[in-house]
C-alpha cells in the first residue's frame, strides 16, 4: 500500500492498473529469482524408454491390479508391445493422436502404454461421457486411430477400419513384440492431449509433450523421495490427475491398484482396497480425503 500511494503522489494521473505494487528489490526477488526454473532433465529419453529402464529386472512384479485381474510388468510390456505394432500398421509410426476409451481395468494401462510405444500420443475419452462430448473431442482432435474395449465399440462414432480392440493385445498370437522395430520418440513429440471440462465454453485440448511430462515427473521424484510401492488410482484417464498416479508408480516399478467402475465412488470400498492391498500412496481431491479420513477406521489406513 505504501508503494502504491507513493506512486500515486508522483503520478496522480496514472491509471491504477499501471502503478507498481512492489518495490524494485521485491520485484526482482519475485519475478527474477523465483522464476529461475531452468533445470536439466535427468532422463535421456522419452517416457516408454524411461519406464523400460526403471522396471528392468522387475518384470515378475505386479504392475496393475483391478478386481481379480492383474498383470505383471512382463505381461504388461508384452501386451503393450503387441498393441503398439497394431497401431503402427495404421499410423506408419507417425507421432499422431490415438484416442483411448477404456473403463477402469488392467486393459486401460495396456492401451496407454501401447499408444506411447507406437510413437503416438494418447487422447483419453471418458466412456461414461455423453456421446456429444465424445464426438466433439474425436472430431476436434482429428484422432487417427481409436483404441477401445470390445463392449464400448458400438457407442463410439469412429470408422471401423481404424478401430483396435484392447482384447486383441492379450491374445497369445497377437503379433510381434520386437520393441527394437518400434518408432523412436523425441522429447518434443506429444505424449498426450487431455480436453478441458468445457464448463466455461467449448472444451479445448491441452497438448503435453514428453519433455513437459518428464520435467513434471522429475520434480515429483525429487520432492517426494519415498518410493511408491502401491498406488490407488481413482481418477479416470480423461482427467489429468491420473497422470501423477500412473507414471509416478511406473517409474518406481510399483503396483497400480485400479478400483472397478462400481467401487471408485464409494469411500467404504476405497478404504477396503487401501487395507486389502496395503496402499502406500493416493492422489485425491480434498473432498474425498475428508470423507475417507472422517468415516474410515484408523486401523484400515495404517499403510
Amino acid at each position: 500500500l505504501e508503494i502504491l500511494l507513493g506512486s500515486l503522489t508522483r503520478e496522480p494521473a496514472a491509471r491504477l492498473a499501471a502503478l507498481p505494487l512492489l518495490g524494485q528489490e521485491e520485484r526482482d526477488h519475485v519475478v527474477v529469482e523465483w522464476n529461475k526454473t531452468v533445470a536439466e532433465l535427468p532422463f535421456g529419453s522419452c517416457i516408454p524408454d524411461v519406464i523400460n529402464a526403471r522396471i528392468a529386472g522387475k518384470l515378475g512384479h505386479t504392475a496393475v491390479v483391478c478386481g481379480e485381474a492383474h498383470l505383471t510388468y512382463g505381461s504388461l510390456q508384452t501386451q503393450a508391445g503387441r498393441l503398439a505394432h497394431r497401431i503402427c500398421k495404421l499410423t506408419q509410426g507417425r507421432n499422431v493422436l490415438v484416442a483411448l476409451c477404456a473403463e477402469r481395468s488392467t486393459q486401460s494401462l495396456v492401451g496407454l502404454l501401447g499408444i506411447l510405444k507406437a510413437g503416438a500420443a494418447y487422447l483419453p475419452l471418458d466412456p461414461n461421457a455423453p456421446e456429444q462430448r465424445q464426438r466433439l473431442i474425436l472430431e476436434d482432435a482429428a484422432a487417427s486411430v481409436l483404441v477401445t474395449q470390445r463392449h464400448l465399440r458400438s457407442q463410439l462414432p469412429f470408422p471401423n477400419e481404424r478401430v483396435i480392440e484392447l482384447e486383441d493385445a492379450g491374445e497369445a498370437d497377437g503379433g510381434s513384440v520386437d520393441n527394437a522395430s518400434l518408432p523412436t520418440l523425441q522429447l518434443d513429440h506429444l505424449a498426450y492431449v487431455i480436453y478441458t471440462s468445457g464448463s466455461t465454453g467449448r472444451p479445448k485440448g491441452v497438448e503435453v509433450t514428453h519433455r513437459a511430462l518428464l520435467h513434471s515427473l522429475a520434480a515429483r521424484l525429487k520432492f517426494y523421495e519415498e518410493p511408491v510401492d502401491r498406488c490407488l488410482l481413482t481418477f479416470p484417464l480423461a482427467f489429468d490427475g491420473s497422470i501423477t498416479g500412473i507414471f509416478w508408480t511406473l517409474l518406481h516399478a510399483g503396483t497400480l491398484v485400479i478400483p472397478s467402475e462400481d467401487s471408485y465412488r464409494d469411500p467404504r470400498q476405497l478404504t477396503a482396497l487401501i487395507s486389502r492391498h496395503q496402499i502406500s500412496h493416493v492422489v485425491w481431491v480434498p473432498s474425498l480425503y475428508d470423507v475417507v479420513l472422517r468415516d474410515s477406521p484408523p486401523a484400515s489406513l495404517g499403510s
Side-chain angles (χ1 to χ4, degrees):
L1 181 59
E2 180 181 350
I3 292 169
L4 182 60
L5 292 175
S7 301
L8 274 172
T9 60
R10 291 189 296 274
E11 302 180 62
R15 291 184 304 110
L16 190 61
L19 295 173
L21 299 176
L22 303 176
Q24 189 60 46
E25 182 179 350
E26 188 176 7
R27 187 180 188 284
D28 288 343
H29 185 62
V30 173
V31 177
V32 179
E33 292 299 320
W34 284 358
N35 204 34
K36 289 180 179 177
T37 57
V38 176
E40 288 296 323
L41 196 57
F43 310 112
S45 53
C46 293
I47 193 69
D49 291 333
V50 174
I51 292 173
N52 289 345
R54 290 282 183 136
I55 66 174
K58 299 180 180 180
L59 297 182
H61 291 201
T62 301
V64 57
V65 175
C66 184
E68 298 305 314
H70 70 279
L71 290 174
T72 64
Y73 273 102
S75 296
L76 176 62
Q77 287 283 71
T78 298
Q79 293 190 28
R82 289 176 183 153
L83 177 61
H85 282 280
R86 290 177 182 269
I87 294 171
C88 284
K89 289 179 181 178
L90 295 178
T91 64
Q92 287 77 54
R94 292 176 291 118
N95 183 233
V96 296
L97 273 180
V98 173
L100 172 61
C101 186
E103 292 179 341
R104 288 169 171 80
S105 62
T106 58
Q107 289 180 322
S108 65
L109 194 59
V110 172
L112 187 153
L113 286 182
I115 292 170
L116 292 173
K117 282 176 175 289
Y122 74 92
L123 171 72
L125 297 173
D126 185 349
N128 298 312
E131 181 182 343
Q132 180 183 6
R133 177 175 170 84
Q134 292 175 339
R135 186 181 299 276
L136 183 153
I137 291 175
L138 286 170
E139 292 177 352
D140 186 67
S144 298
V145 175
L146 169 65
V147 174
T148 188
Q149 291 166 300
R150 195 163 290 154
H151 67 280
L152 298 175
R153 172 66 193 92
S154 61
Q155 75 182 46
L156 297 162
F158 209 83
N160 285 327
E161 66 275 11
R162 304 195 70 77
V163 174
I164 298 174
E165 294 177 348
L166 278 165
E167 288 79 358
D168 294 338
E171 295 177 358
D173 59 349
S176 171
V177 289
D178 177 19
N179 289 330
S181 64
L182 292 173
T184 301
L185 284 161
Q186 304 297 324
L187 287 174
D188 291 323
H189 282 168
L190 285 181
Y192 63 89
V193 175
I194 289 184
Y195 270 70
T196 59
S197 65
S199 58
T200 58
R202 181 183 173 90
K204 294 170 284 293
V206 179
E207 300 178 335
V208 178
T209 64
H210 283 265
R211 186 187 304 277
L213 171 59
L214 288 169
H215 269 297
S216 173
L217 290 170
R220 184 169 295 279
L221 291 173
K222 181 178 180 180
F223 190 83
Y224 298 102
E225 296 180 354
E226 184 183 353
V228 180
D229 186 27
R230 297 180 183 87
C231 178
L232 182 63
L233 180 72
T234 55
F235 290 123
L237 294 185
F239 185 68
D240 61 0
S242 66
I243 305 299
T244 297
I246 292 171
F247 292 108
W248 195 20
T249 305
L250 295 183
L251 291 190
H252 281 285
T255 300
L256 200 65
V257 178
I258 303 177
S260 61
E261 286 290 328
D262 61 356
S263 65
Y264 78 97
R265 295 180 184 272
D266 187 339
R268 291 172 299 179
Q269 293 197 52
L270 294 180
T271 300
L273 285 173
I274 290 173
S275 179
R276 175 185 173 188
H277 293 283
Q278 289 296 287
I279 297 298
S280 64
H281 289 73
V282 293
V283 181
W284 288 344
V285 293
S287 56
L288 183 53
Y289 280 119
D290 182 55
V291 171
V292 171
L293 289 172
R294 185 186 65 221
D295 298 343
S296 302
S300 65
L301 303 178
S303 60

